[in-house]
Amino acid sequence: GMIKIISTYKLTDLDILSCIKNMPTLSQLQKRFVQIILIYMEKLEENISQHDTALVKKAVNYIENNYACQMMLEDIAAQFHLHPNYFSRLFKQQTGITFRDYLRNLRIRQAKLLLADPSQKISCIAEAVGYKDTAHFIRAFKDITGTTPSVYRKTLLSG
């Protein structure tokens, strides 16, 4: 990353080689190096931040397209070549919510849409949104909405 940044500033007043050639004293050169390195470090931090943001956007897109599949944080982190702890921290930092809560909220949001169709069994909806265990789905649904899927469906269909 640093090589790319250094090459970006080639032939500018932030070019290190140019400074070496043109600074009359070692102390001036040292001061200028410190200034330039600080600028390079800021640019590197910006690049890392942009990269991290892009990674989380890709991860969110992947999650939204595959929420019905069994997925764990470790699987997503591995797919993006990140350590699970780093990915978890990065995901929360970028989205404001943990991976687990994001996935659960997404699944319940999708389940709410499916509950509008009274012909679909709740167990089928649970599986369609990524829950193999219907009881686990019902608990998650109630945690988020404050009601069970069947009560939610009745309210939805009666109103």
Side-chain angles (χ1 to χ4, degrees), residues 60-76:
V60 164
N61 189 43
Y62 177 83
I63 294 163
E64 289 183 357
N65 289 323
N66 297 284
Y67 66 88
C69 302
Q70 290 301 113
M71 68 174 71
M72 297 177 65
L73 178 121
E74 291 80 6
D75 301 329
I76 306 297

Side-chain angles (χ1 to χ4, degrees), residues 98-121:
T98 65
F99 166 79
R100 180 183 170 274
D101 288 343
Y102 185 89
L103 179 59
R104 188 171 68 149
N105 290 341
L106 175 61
R107 286 175 168 170
I108 299 306
R109 192 169 56 243
Q110 296 302 320
K112 285 178 172 181
L113 297 173
L114 296 174
L115 285 166
D117 180 359
S119 68
Q120 287 196 47
K121 292 182 179 181

